[in-house]
Amino acid sequence: MGLADRMIRLLWAVGGEDVASRVLRAHWRLLPSDDPLGRALRSRLVEALRAELPGHDAQIREAVLVDELTLLGPGREKPSRAAVLGIVRALPRS
């Protein structure tokens, strides 16, 4: 799954089509070369999503977790409990 598909899925999961298209149009930028997995872009989009949808922090965190787990790739085994906890701790908090 490509970066654009991941970001659309993340935004759509929380805000639906209208919010996803509005946030993407306003905040999509080229990735910094040191961020090939798009975490910096995701952070910008998450902040915009929080501004658009205050009070949806749990949904946003869940969507970010799903995206982060996507980065592990389909060929890998399920992540360990410690790996998942590490991902959850790294998620943006409100």
Side-chain angles (χ1 to χ4, degrees):
M1 175 178 297
L3 177 62
D5 293 328
R6 285 181 28 231
M7 296 303 103
I8 290 167
R9 183 178 69 174
L10 179 132
L11 294 169
W12 197 304
V14 179
E17 182 178 4
D18 290 341
V19 171
S21 62
R22 187 170 46 253
V23 168
L24 284 171
R25 273 196 308 272
H27 298 281
W28 184 271
R29 296 186 198 121
L30 293 176
L31 293 173
S33 60
D34 63 343
D35 186 31
L37 297 178
R39 286 185 176 106
L41 172 62
R42 184 180 67 200
S43 291
R44 280 195 307 263
L45 296 177
V46 163
E47 289 308 312
L49 199 54
R50 282 198 170 114
E52 286 266 340
L53 301 170
H56 285 79
D57 289 336
Q59 285 178 288
I60 293 169
R61 285 176 54 84
E62 183 176 326
V64 171
L65 177 59
V66 167
D67 183 60
E68 193 64 32
L69 291 173
T70 299
L71 294 175
L72 294 175
R76 288 192 48 178
E77 294 180 25
K78 285 187 172 181
S80 68
R81 178 170 159 58
V84 171
L85 288 174
I87 291 168
V88 170
R89 283 187 202 104
L91 295 177
R93 298 191 189 279
S94 55

